Structure formats: structure tokens, C-alpha cells
Amino acid sequence: MAVTQDNSGPYAPPSTVIDVITRHRTRGLPSPVNADVLARSGVSDSLIPRTLQALQSLDLLDEQGQPTSIFEGLRLAPESEFKQRMAEWLNQAYADVIAFVDPATDDEIKVRDAFRSYKPVGQQARMVTLFLGLYREAGVAPEKSSQPRMLKIKQSVRPRSVPQRTNSSISSQKKPPLVIDSAGIPAPLAGMLAKLPQEGDGWTKARRDKFMTTFESVMDFCFPIIEFEAVELDSLDDD
């Protein structure tokens, strides 16, 4: 019973049909092949009805579940001839379909159009999947395009360049204030000393001159200048 528009088209998963064929080639299936045999062969309960229908539609089982001569021919075929025998079987089973499409060259869209008149309509997509999957297993499929694939080049994110710091920019950065032991030092002088640069850092001549001028004024305020002779007389009086 070949696949025609007059009968329900096969729509079992191609992997399930291929597993049944492989099992028959390696171990043999008990006759008749029925739901119990398929269940013990690993076919899930939900797939058993459509798998039996597919095996019959593809001329692998007769109406009584007995393996056909085609099924036995696939079982006995040497490994070197198996794909060729499989392609011959599919060409015979799908003769009505391949009158309109060539599985070796046509894409899935053309194959889908060839199945539009098959029943049940809701299972046509699965019919196409089975058709293409079985032919692919037989080594018949459109050649992959030889054109090179266009790769999307992901633009790498370059790290933002960090400007080199000059001496002026380094010196202008805020640093912790200089710690001064202010014991015995007047507060104004301690405040001035705290403004000195950190050890190892530098400053401009203008800043240094300004500091020295201000420091001299603060020094004179904290320690007024007195006559040297008076200091010597006071020290003599103490003696």
C-alpha cells in the first residue's frame, strides 16, 4: 500500500520508524508485528498507532502485520548496499510524491506543497518531517550551500584610554593634610605647617614664595622681635 492522496498519509516520527527498521535488521521482529511487539521494541504507547499505520503505508507491513518482502529485503541487505536499498524502497513507497518533488534537490517548502492534498490535513507537517527524515537516512538530501556563511563580527569594546597624569595634575590632587605635632607650637604656626606639601612632593616657586611670606608674618605675630641686648641683660640678671 503506497502513499497516495486516497489514503491517510504516514506521519510517525522518522526516528521511530528508523529504530524499528534497525531493530528488525539487527535482531528481527516477531510476527505479526503488532502493538505489543512495538511496545516491547521501545515504541511509546502514544506513538504505536501512528507507527503501525506508517509501516503499513510504507509497504513494510501488510494488513495482517506480517513483514513484506521489501521489509525483509532491507533486513537482509549488506551494510554497503543498505542505503541504496532504502532509497529504492522510498522511491517506490512515495512514488506519488516524488512525481512532483525531488528529495535530492528540493527544499522543505516544495516538499510541503507536495503534501497539501494529503489527509489528515492537520498532520501534513509531520508527513513532511517523516519524508525528509527517511530520505536523509538513505543518504538523499539537498546538498548544503557551498557559499561561505556570513559571520556576524561582534564589535569589541575597547577600553577607554586613561590620560597620563602630569606632575601638575598629580600635585593638584587632594591628599590627606600633613600631620604636625603641635605640642608647644602656637596654633597659627601649626596651621601654617599643616599646609606644607607631603614629603616627597613638590610645589611651584610661586606657592613656596607665598607660603614663606605668610609664614614670616605669622612667625612675627607669634614671636615678636625684641632687642638682642635686652635679652642678654635679662639673662645676666638671672645669673
Side-chain angles (χ1 to χ4, degrees), residues 191-224:
M192 287 293 299
L193 293 175
K195 294 182 180 180
L196 288 170
Q198 292 286 331
E199 183 177 359
D201 289 346
W203 55 359
T204 63
K205 186 176 184 303
R207 287 186 59 197
R208 176 186 175 281
D209 292 344
K210 183 178 180 180
F211 176 85
M212 295 302 296
T213 301
T214 306
F215 184 80
E216 185 177 0
S217 300
V218 175
M219 177 72 76
D220 291 340
F221 173 78
C222 295
F223 302 103

PDB file of all heavy atoms in Angstrom, residues 191-224:
ATOM      1  N   GLY A 191      48.871  75.669  62.099  1.00  0.00           N
ATOM      2  CA  GLY A 191      48.009  75.692  60.928  1.00  0.00           C
ATOM      3  C   GLY A 191      48.789  75.914  59.654  1.00  0.00           C
ATOM      4  O   GLY A 191      48.497  75.319  58.617  1.00  0.00           O
ATOM      5  N   MET A 192      49.801  76.790  59.723  1.00  0.00           N
ATOM      6  CA  MET A 192      50.632  77.024  58.544  1.00  0.00           C
ATOM      7  C   MET A 192      51.435  75.784  58.163  1.00  0.00           C
ATOM      8  O   MET A 192      51.534  75.416  56.997  1.00  0.00           O
ATOM      9  CB  MET A 192      51.573  78.203  58.807  1.00  0.00           C
ATOM     10  CG  MET A 192      50.901  79.564  58.818  1.00  0.00           C
ATOM     11  SD  MET A 192      50.270  80.035  57.197  1.00  0.00           S
ATOM     12  CE  MET A 192      51.769  80.054  56.241  1.00  0.00           C
ATOM     13  N   LEU A 193      52.004  75.131  59.167  1.00  0.00           N
ATOM     14  CA  LEU A 193      52.815  73.947  58.897  1.00  0.00           C
ATOM     15  C   LEU A 193      51.977  72.811  58.304  1.00  0.00           C
ATOM     16  O   LEU A 193      52.488  71.984  57.527  1.00  0.00           O
ATOM     17  CB  LEU A 193      53.499  73.482  60.185  1.00  0.00           C
ATOM     18  CG  LEU A 193      54.562  74.438  60.753  1.00  0.00           C
ATOM     19  CD1 LEU A 193      55.075  73.928  62.095  1.00  0.00           C
ATOM     20  CD2 LEU A 193      55.730  74.591  59.771  1.00  0.00           C
ATOM     21  N   ALA A 194      50.715  72.748  58.680  1.00  0.00           N
ATOM     22  CA  ALA A 194      49.848  71.694  58.149  1.00  0.00           C
ATOM     23  C   ALA A 194      49.599  71.857  56.655  1.00  0.00           C
ATOM     24  O   ALA A 194      49.171  70.917  55.972  1.00  0.00           O
ATOM     25  CB  ALA A 194      48.521  71.683  58.896  1.00  0.00           C
ATOM     26  N   LYS A 195      49.872  73.048  56.124  1.00  0.00           N
ATOM     27  CA  LYS A 195      49.666  73.303  54.701  1.00  0.00           C
ATOM     28  C   LYS A 195      50.888  72.972  53.851  1.00  0.00           C
ATOM     29  O   LYS A 195      50.867  73.142  52.635  1.00  0.00           O
ATOM     30  CB  LYS A 195      49.276  74.761  54.485  1.00  0.00           C
ATOM     31  CG  LYS A 195      47.925  75.123  55.088  1.00  0.00           C
ATOM     32  CD  LYS A 195      47.570  76.576  54.809  1.00  0.00           C
ATOM     33  CE  LYS A 195      46.198  76.925  55.415  1.00  0.00           C
ATOM     34  NZ  LYS A 195      45.833  78.325  55.148  1.00  0.00           N
ATOM     35  N   LEU A 196      51.937  72.511  54.490  1.00  0.00           N
ATOM     36  CA  LEU A 196      53.117  72.115  53.727  1.00  0.00           C
ATOM     37  C   LEU A 196      52.809  70.906  52.851  1.00  0.00           C
ATOM     38  O   LEU A 196      51.980  70.064  53.208  1.00  0.00           O
ATOM     39  CB  LEU A 196      54.271  71.786  54.678  1.00  0.00           C
ATOM     40  CG  LEU A 196      54.932  72.976  55.398  1.00  0.00           C
ATOM     41  CD1 LEU A 196      55.881  72.472  56.466  1.00  0.00           C
ATOM     42  CD2 LEU A 196      55.668  73.865  54.402  1.00  0.00           C
ATOM     43  N   PRO A 197      53.469  70.737  51.705  1.00  0.00           N
ATOM     44  CA  PRO A 197      53.252  69.552  50.859  1.00  0.00           C
ATOM     45  C   PRO A 197      53.690  68.281  51.587  1.00  0.00           C
ATOM     46  O   PRO A 197      54.482  68.320  52.527  1.00  0.00           O
ATOM     47  CB  PRO A 197      54.125  69.822  49.629  1.00  0.00           C
ATOM     48  CG  PRO A 197      54.408  71.294  49.659  1.00  0.00           C
ATOM     49  CD  PRO A 197      54.414  71.694  51.091  1.00  0.00           C
ATOM     50  N   GLN A 198      53.150  67.143  51.111  1.00  0.00           N
ATOM     51  CA  GLN A 198      53.576  65.861  51.655  1.00  0.00           C
ATOM     52  C   GLN A 198      55.049  65.639  51.342  1.00  0.00           C
ATOM     53  O   GLN A 198      55.586  66.157  50.354  1.00  0.00           O
ATOM     54  CB  GLN A 198      52.739  64.734  51.043  1.00  0.00           C
ATOM     55  CG  GLN A 198      51.278  64.736  51.472  1.00  0.00           C
ATOM     56  CD  GLN A 198      51.115  64.252  52.897  1.00  0.00           C
ATOM     57  OE1 GLN A 198      51.912  63.447  53.366  1.00  0.00           O
ATOM     58  NE2 GLN A 198      50.116  64.774  53.603  1.00  0.00           N
ATOM     59  N   GLU A 199      55.697  64.849  52.192  1.00  0.00           N
ATOM     60  CA  GLU A 199      57.109  64.571  51.995  1.00  0.00           C
ATOM     61  C   GLU A 199      57.318  63.859  50.662  1.00  0.00           C
ATOM     62  O   GLU A 199      56.652  62.879  50.351  1.00  0.00           O
ATOM     63  CB  GLU A 199      57.637  63.701  53.140  1.00  0.00           C
ATOM     64  CG  GLU A 199      59.139  63.432  53.052  1.00  0.00           C
ATOM     65  CD  GLU A 199      59.653  62.621  54.227  1.00  0.00           C
ATOM     66  OE1 GLU A 199      58.834  62.296  55.111  1.00  0.00           O
ATOM     67  OE2 GLU A 199      60.845  62.302  54.242  1.00  0.00           O
ATOM     68  N   GLY A 200      58.228  64.360  49.871  1.00  0.00           N
ATOM     69  CA  GLY A 200      58.492  63.792  48.561  1.00  0.00           C
ATOM     70  C   GLY A 200      57.779  64.512  47.437  1.00  0.00           C
ATOM     71  O   GLY A 200      58.124  64.325  46.269  1.00  0.00           O
ATOM     72  N   ASP A 201      56.730  65.308  47.785  1.00  0.00           N
ATOM     73  CA  ASP A 201      56.029  66.076  46.772  1.00  0.00           C
ATOM     74  C   ASP A 201      56.721  67.419  46.574  1.00  0.00           C
ATOM     75  O   ASP A 201      57.550  67.844  47.386  1.00  0.00           O
ATOM     76  CB  ASP A 201      54.568  66.298  47.163  1.00  0.00           C
ATOM     77  CG  ASP A 201      53.774  65.003  47.066  1.00  0.00           C
ATOM     78  OD1 ASP A 201      54.292  64.043  46.449  1.00  0.00           O
ATOM     79  OD2 ASP A 201      52.645  64.947  47.594  1.00  0.00           O
ATOM     80  N   GLY A 202      56.375  68.080  45.524  1.00  0.00           N
ATOM     81  CA  GLY A 202      56.948  69.401  45.261  1.00  0.00           C
ATOM     82  C   GLY A 202      55.868  70.458  45.164  1.00  0.00           C
ATOM     83  O   GLY A 202      54.679  70.172  45.299  1.00  0.00           O
ATOM     84  N   TRP A 203      56.276  71.671  44.977  1.00  0.00           N
ATOM     85  CA  TRP A 203      55.342  72.766  44.764  1.00  0.00           C
ATOM     86  C   TRP A 203      56.011  73.790  43.883  1.00  0.00           C
ATOM     87  O   TRP A 203      57.213  73.761  43.665  1.00  0.00           O
ATOM     88  CB  TRP A 203      54.828  73.363  46.095  1.00  0.00           C
ATOM     89  CG  TRP A 203      55.912  73.834  47.055  1.00  0.00           C
ATOM     90  CD1 TRP A 203      57.251  73.775  46.880  1.00  0.00           C
ATOM     91  CD2 TRP A 203      55.707  74.427  48.312  1.00  0.00           C
ATOM     92  NE1 TRP A 203      57.915  74.286  47.946  1.00  0.00           N
ATOM     93  CE2 TRP A 203      56.986  74.705  48.868  1.00  0.00           C
ATOM     94  CE3 TRP A 203      54.598  74.768  49.070  1.00  0.00           C
ATOM     95  CZ2 TRP A 203      57.168  75.305  50.106  1.00  0.00           C
ATOM     96  CZ3 TRP A 203      54.772  75.361  50.309  1.00  0.00           C
ATOM     97  CH2 TRP A 203      56.049  75.619  50.829  1.00  0.00           C
ATOM     98  N   THR A 204      55.212  74.669  43.370  1.00  0.00           N
ATOM     99  CA  THR A 204      55.761  75.690  42.479  1.00  0.00           C
ATOM    100  C   THR A 204      56.478  76.760  43.293  1.00  0.00           C
ATOM    101  O   THR A 204      56.241  76.923  44.497  1.00  0.00           O
ATOM    102  CB  THR A 204      54.636  76.336  41.653  1.00  0.00           C
ATOM    103  OG1 THR A 204      53.727  77.005  42.532  1.00  0.00           O
ATOM    104  CG2 THR A 204      53.872  75.282  40.851  1.00  0.00           C
ATOM    105  N   LYS A 205      57.340  77.486  42.603  1.00  0.00           N
ATOM    106  CA  LYS A 205      58.066  78.563  43.280  1.00  0.00           C
ATOM    107  C   LYS A 205      57.109  79.643  43.771  1.00  0.00           C
ATOM    108  O   LYS A 205      57.298  80.229  44.853  1.00  0.00           O
ATOM    109  CB  LYS A 205      59.102  79.162  42.326  1.00  0.00           C
ATOM    110  CG  LYS A 205      60.018  80.213  42.977  1.00  0.00           C
ATOM    111  CD  LYS A 205      61.061  80.686  41.999  1.00  0.00           C
ATOM    112  CE  LYS A 205      62.032  81.649  42.701  1.00  0.00           C
ATOM    113  NZ  LYS A 205      61.375  82.815  43.306  1.00  0.00           N
ATOM    114  N   ALA A 206      56.066  79.903  43.004  1.00  0.00           N
ATOM    115  CA  ALA A 206      55.096  80.927  43.415  1.00  0.00           C
ATOM    116  C   ALA A 206      54.418  80.538  44.720  1.00  0.00           C
ATOM    117  O   ALA A 206      54.243  81.367  45.626  1.00  0.00           O
ATOM    118  CB  ALA A 206      54.074  81.138  42.308  1.00  0.00           C
ATOM    119  N   ARG A 207      54.024  79.256  44.826  1.00  0.00           N
ATOM    120  CA  ARG A 207      53.380  78.800  46.066  1.00  0.00           C
ATOM    121  C   ARG A 207      54.361  78.856  47.232  1.00  0.00           C
ATOM    122  O   ARG A 207      54.003  79.211  48.355  1.00  0.00           O
ATOM    123  CB  ARG A 207      52.856  77.357  45.881  1.00  0.00           C
ATOM    124  CG  ARG A 207      51.633  77.244  44.994  1.00  0.00           C
ATOM    125  CD  ARG A 207      51.116  75.818  44.989  1.00  0.00           C
ATOM    126  NE  ARG A 207      50.762  75.395  46.337  1.00  0.00           N
ATOM    127  CZ  ARG A 207      50.592  74.123  46.703  1.00  0.00           C
ATOM    128  NH1 ARG A 207      50.786  73.161  45.801  1.00  0.00           N
ATOM    129  NH2 ARG A 207      50.264  73.815  47.936  1.00  0.00           N
ATOM    130  N   ARG A 208      55.613  78.443  46.953  1.00  0.00           N
ATOM    131  CA  ARG A 208      56.614  78.477  48.025  1.00  0.00           C
ATOM    132  C   ARG A 208      56.833  79.900  48.499  1.00  0.00           C
ATOM    133  O   ARG A 208      56.884  80.166  49.720  1.00  0.00           O
ATOM    134  CB  ARG A 208      57.929  77.882  47.523  1.00  0.00           C
ATOM    135  CG  ARG A 208      59.068  77.950  48.536  1.00  0.00           C
ATOM    136  CD  ARG A 208      60.370  77.476  47.909  1.00  0.00           C
ATOM    137  NE  ARG A 208      61.485  77.646  48.816  1.00  0.00           N
ATOM    138  CZ  ARG A 208      62.123  78.814  49.059  1.00  0.00           C
ATOM    139  NH1 ARG A 208      61.722  79.929  48.418  1.00  0.00           N
ATOM    140  NH2 ARG A 208      63.129  78.885  49.910  1.00  0.00           N
ATOM    141  N   ASP A 209      56.981  80.864  47.560  1.00  0.00           N
ATOM    142  CA  ASP A 209      57.222  82.248  47.956  1.00  0.00           C
ATOM    143  C   ASP A 209      56.053  82.806  48.754  1.00  0.00           C
ATOM    144  O   ASP A 209      56.239  83.518  49.757  1.00  0.00           O
ATOM    145  CB  ASP A 209      57.474  83.095  46.708  1.00  0.00           C
ATOM    146  CG  ASP A 209      58.789  82.726  46.022  1.00  0.00           C
ATOM    147  OD1 ASP A 209      59.619  82.051  46.662  1.00  0.00           O
ATOM    148  OD2 ASP A 209      58.954  83.093  44.839  1.00  0.00           O
ATOM    149  N   LYS A 210      54.832  82.449  48.329  1.00  0.00           N
ATOM    150  CA  LYS A 210      53.660  82.932  49.050  1.00  0.00           C
ATOM    151  C   LYS A 210      53.616  82.366  50.467  1.00  0.00           C
ATOM    152  O   LYS A 210      53.286  83.057  51.434  1.00  0.00           O
ATOM    153  CB  LYS A 210      52.398  82.538  48.283  1.00  0.00           C
ATOM    154  CG  LYS A 210      51.106  83.059  48.905  1.00  0.00           C
ATOM    155  CD  LYS A 210      49.907  82.672  48.061  1.00  0.00           C
ATOM    156  CE  LYS A 210      48.621  83.184  48.688  1.00  0.00           C
ATOM    157  NZ  LYS A 210      47.430  82.809  47.886  1.00  0.00           N
ATOM    158  N   PHE A 211      53.980  81.063  50.585  1.00  0.00           N
ATOM    159  CA  PHE A 211      53.981  80.436  51.899  1.00  0.00           C
ATOM    160  C   PHE A 211      55.015  81.103  52.809  1.00  0.00           C
ATOM    161  O   PHE A 211      54.735  81.386  53.978  1.00  0.00           O
ATOM    162  CB  PHE A 211      54.278  78.937  51.760  1.00  0.00           C
ATOM    163  CG  PHE A 211      54.389  78.233  53.085  1.00  0.00           C
ATOM    164  CD1 PHE A 211      53.266  77.751  53.746  1.00  0.00           C
ATOM    165  CD2 PHE A 211      55.633  78.045  53.699  1.00  0.00           C
ATOM    166  CE1 PHE A 211      53.377  77.109  54.978  1.00  0.00           C
ATOM    167  CE2 PHE A 211      55.737  77.419  54.923  1.00  0.00           C
ATOM    168  CZ  PHE A 211      54.611  76.944  55.569  1.00  0.00           C
ATOM    169  N   MET A 212      56.208  81.317  52.260  1.00  0.00           N
ATOM    170  CA  MET A 212      57.268  81.891  53.089  1.00  0.00           C
ATOM    171  C   MET A 212      56.918  83.297  53.552  1.00  0.00           C
ATOM    172  O   MET A 212      57.186  83.681  54.706  1.00  0.00           O
ATOM    173  CB  MET A 212      58.585  81.908  52.297  1.00  0.00           C
ATOM    174  CG  MET A 212      59.122  80.518  51.957  1.00  0.00           C
ATOM    175  SD  MET A 212      59.420  79.497  53.414  1.00  0.00           S
ATOM    176  CE  MET A 212      60.727  80.437  54.228  1.00  0.00           C
ATOM    177  N   THR A 213      56.297  84.066  52.692  1.00  0.00           N
ATOM    178  CA  THR A 213      55.898  85.424  53.086  1.00  0.00           C
ATOM    179  C   THR A 213      54.866  85.393  54.196  1.00  0.00           C
ATOM    180  O   THR A 213      54.967  86.120  55.207  1.00  0.00           O
ATOM    181  CB  THR A 213      55.345  86.176  51.865  1.00  0.00           C
ATOM    182  OG1 THR A 213      56.339  86.229  50.849  1.00  0.00           O
ATOM    183  CG2 THR A 213      54.935  87.587  52.234  1.00  0.00           C
ATOM    184  N   THR A 214      53.852  84.505  54.012  1.00  0.00           N
ATOM    185  CA  THR A 214      52.804  84.396  55.034  1.00  0.00           C
ATOM    186  C   THR A 214      53.367  83.818  56.318  1.00  0.00           C
ATOM    187  O   THR A 214      53.038  84.264  57.432  1.00  0.00           O
ATOM    188  CB  THR A 214      51.665  83.520  54.525  1.00  0.00           C
ATOM    189  OG1 THR A 214      51.195  84.025  53.277  1.00  0.00           O
ATOM    190  CG2 THR A 214      50.507  83.487  55.497  1.00  0.00           C
ATOM    191  N   PHE A 215      54.242  82.825  56.189  1.00  0.00           N
ATOM    192  CA  PHE A 215      54.817  82.199  57.385  1.00  0.00           C
ATOM    193  C   PHE A 215      55.636  83.211  58.187  1.00  0.00           C
ATOM    194  O   PHE A 215      55.605  83.213  59.419  1.00  0.00           O
ATOM    195  CB  PHE A 215      55.698  81.015  56.949  1.00  0.00           C
ATOM    196  CG  PHE A 215      56.253  80.233  58.098  1.00  0.00           C
ATOM    197  CD1 PHE A 215      55.491  79.297  58.772  1.00  0.00           C
ATOM    198  CD2 PHE A 215      57.563  80.456  58.542  1.00  0.00           C
ATOM    199  CE1 PHE A 215      56.013  78.591  59.844  1.00  0.00           C
ATOM    200  CE2 PHE A 215      58.078  79.758  59.610  1.00  0.00           C
ATOM    201  CZ  PHE A 215      57.307  78.808  60.265  1.00  0.00           C
ATOM    202  N   GLU A 216      56.372  84.051  57.463  1.00  0.00           N
ATOM    203  CA  GLU A 216      57.186  85.051  58.160  1.00  0.00           C
ATOM    204  C   GLU A 216      56.303  86.018  58.954  1.00  0.00           C
ATOM    205  O   GLU A 216      56.622  86.368  60.106  1.00  0.00           O
ATOM    206  CB  GLU A 216      58.029  85.831  57.144  1.00  0.00           C
ATOM    207  CG  GLU A 216      58.997  86.823  57.775  1.00  0.00           C
ATOM    208  CD  GLU A 216      59.873  87.524  56.765  1.00  0.00           C
ATOM    209  OE1 GLU A 216      59.714  87.232  55.559  1.00  0.00           O
ATOM    210  OE2 GLU A 216      60.713  88.336  57.170  1.00  0.00           O
ATOM    211  N   SER A 217      55.177  86.385  58.382  1.00  0.00           N
ATOM    212  CA  SER A 217      54.254  87.284  59.087  1.00  0.00           C
ATOM    213  C   SER A 217      53.669  86.615  60.316  1.00  0.00           C
ATOM    214  O   SER A 217      53.557  87.222  61.396  1.00  0.00           O
ATOM    215  CB  SER A 217      53.138  87.729  58.141  1.00  0.00           C
ATOM    216  OG  SER A 217      53.656  88.404  57.020  1.00  0.00           O
ATOM    217  N   VAL A 218      53.265  85.334  60.142  1.00  0.00           N
ATOM    218  CA  VAL A 218      52.690  84.612  61.294  1.00  0.00           C
ATOM    219  C   VAL A 218      53.747  84.400  62.370  1.00  0.00           C
ATOM    220  O   VAL A 218      53.463  84.496  63.583  1.00  0.00           O
ATOM    221  CB  VAL A 218      52.103  83.269  60.822  1.00  0.00           C
ATOM    222  CG1 VAL A 218      51.605  82.449  62.018  1.00  0.00           C
ATOM    223  CG2 VAL A 218      50.955  83.505  59.848  1.00  0.00           C
ATOM    224  N   MET A 219      54.978  84.123  61.960  1.00  0.00           N
ATOM    225  CA  MET A 219      56.070  83.949  62.920  1.00  0.00           C
ATOM    226  C   MET A 219      56.287  85.216  63.730  1.00  0.00           C
ATOM    227  O   MET A 219      56.439  85.175  64.973  1.00  0.00           O
ATOM    228  CB  MET A 219      57.346  83.566  62.175  1.00  0.00           C
ATOM    229  CG  MET A 219      58.581  83.422  63.067  1.00  0.00           C
ATOM    230  SD  MET A 219      58.528  81.954  64.099  1.00  0.00           S
ATOM    231  CE  MET A 219      58.930  80.744  62.874  1.00  0.00           C
ATOM    232  N   ASP A 220      56.286  86.364  63.041  1.00  0.00           N
ATOM    233  CA  ASP A 220      56.477  87.632  63.752  1.00  0.00           C
ATOM    234  C   ASP A 220      55.320  87.925  64.700  1.00  0.00           C
ATOM    235  O   ASP A 220      55.493  88.529  65.768  1.00  0.00           O
ATOM    236  CB  ASP A 220      56.625  88.784  62.754  1.00  0.00           C
ATOM    237  CG  ASP A 220      57.944  88.684  61.979  1.00  0.00           C
ATOM    238  OD1 ASP A 220      58.854  87.986  62.470  1.00  0.00           O
ATOM    239  OD2 ASP A 220      58.034  89.275  60.893  1.00  0.00           O
ATOM    240  N   PHE A 221      54.109  87.455  64.294  1.00  0.00           N
ATOM    241  CA  PHE A 221      52.953  87.688  65.177  1.00  0.00           C
ATOM    242  C   PHE A 221      53.058  86.851  66.440  1.00  0.00           C
ATOM    243  O   PHE A 221      52.767  87.300  67.548  1.00  0.00           O
ATOM    244  CB  PHE A 221      51.664  87.344  64.414  1.00  0.00           C
ATOM    245  CG  PHE A 221      50.435  87.388  65.258  1.00  0.00           C
ATOM    246  CD1 PHE A 221      49.834  88.595  65.598  1.00  0.00           C
ATOM    247  CD2 PHE A 221      49.869  86.207  65.743  1.00  0.00           C
ATOM    248  CE1 PHE A 221      48.705  88.618  66.395  1.00  0.00           C
ATOM    249  CE2 PHE A 221      48.742  86.233  66.544  1.00  0.00           C
ATOM    250  CZ  PHE A 221      48.152  87.438  66.872  1.00  0.00           C
ATOM    251  N   CYS A 222      53.475  85.594  66.265  1.00  0.00           N
ATOM    252  CA  CYS A 222      53.549  84.698  67.432  1.00  0.00           C
ATOM    253  C   CYS A 222      54.783  84.998  68.294  1.00  0.00           C
ATOM    254  O   CYS A 222      54.747  84.839  69.522  1.00  0.00           O
ATOM    255  CB  CYS A 222      53.579  83.244  66.966  1.00  0.00           C
ATOM    256  SG  CYS A 222      52.080  82.706  66.130  1.00  0.00           S
ATOM    257  N   PHE A 223      55.873  85.404  67.680  1.00  0.00           N
ATOM    258  CA  PHE A 223      57.108  85.688  68.404  1.00  0.00           C
ATOM    259  C   PHE A 223      57.614  87.069  68.001  1.00  0.00           C
ATOM    260  O   PHE A 223      58.417  87.194  67.062  1.00  0.00           O
ATOM    261  CB  PHE A 223      58.181  84.625  68.120  1.00  0.00           C
ATOM    262  CG  PHE A 223      57.751  83.231  68.460  1.00  0.00           C
ATOM    263  CD1 PHE A 223      57.356  82.337  67.466  1.00  0.00           C
ATOM    264  CD2 PHE A 223      57.735  82.801  69.780  1.00  0.00           C
ATOM    265  CE1 PHE A 223      56.965  81.060  67.785  1.00  0.00           C
ATOM    266  CE2 PHE A 223      57.333  81.520  70.090  1.00  0.00           C
ATOM    267  CZ  PHE A 223      56.952  80.641  69.107  1.00  0.00           C
ATOM    268  N   PRO A 224      57.144  88.105  68.684  1.00  0.00           N
ATOM    269  CA  PRO A 224      57.572  89.466  68.324  1.00  0.00           C
ATOM    270  C   PRO A 224      59.094  89.596  68.442  1.00  0.00           C
ATOM    271  O   PRO A 224      59.730  88.997  69.313  1.00  0.00           O
ATOM    272  CB  PRO A 224      56.847  90.348  69.324  1.00  0.00           C
ATOM    273  CG  PRO A 224      55.709  89.516  69.816  1.00  0.00           C
ATOM    274  CD  PRO A 224      56.202  88.103  69.803  1.00  0.00           C
TER     275      PRO A 224
END
